[in-house]
Amino acid sequence: MANPILYIATGSAPLSSQFQETLDMLLTGAAFGQPTILWLTEASLSQLQRAPSNGLAQLPDFGVRCVTDSLAPVTPVPVETLDSQSLLRLRDQCAQVVVF
């Protein structure tokens, strides 16, 4: 199994072109079997509550694992809450990290 790619959403507006393009890239890789993880930071979760992204609802269908470092509010996808040490280990295990 290939090492996963970790995408870190730092809080860019969910409706921005950068967010949507990165989400498309993430979904494309996952569709072709690339193990993919999306780390939704507290800032990005806050943005998503204000302006939800329909693209996120597709993530479970493609096998994308979503994680967060804060108490997960209601989100359009299942989010796994990890402590800071677990997130650092996860980041170190990934073949590539993309921050957007």
Side-chain angles (χ1 to χ4, degrees), residues 37 65 67-70 80-87 90:
I37 302 166
R65 177 182 175 199
V67 299
T68 186
D69 56 348
S70 61
E80 178 184 349
T81 304
L82 299 177
D83 62 45
S84 59
Q85 290 300 324
S86 297
L87 285 166
L90 180 66

Side-chain angles (χ1 to χ4, degrees), residues 56-71:
L56 289 175
Q58 300 174 42
L59 295 179
D61 296 335
F62 289 90
V64 175
R65 177 182 175 199
C66 296
V67 299
T68 186
D69 56 348
S70 61
L71 293 176

Side-chain angles (χ1 to χ4, degrees), residues 4-19:
I5 296 177
L6 175 63
Y7 291 83
I8 303 174
T10 60
S12 298
L15 299 177
S16 73
S17 61
Q18 178 191 15
F19 185 91

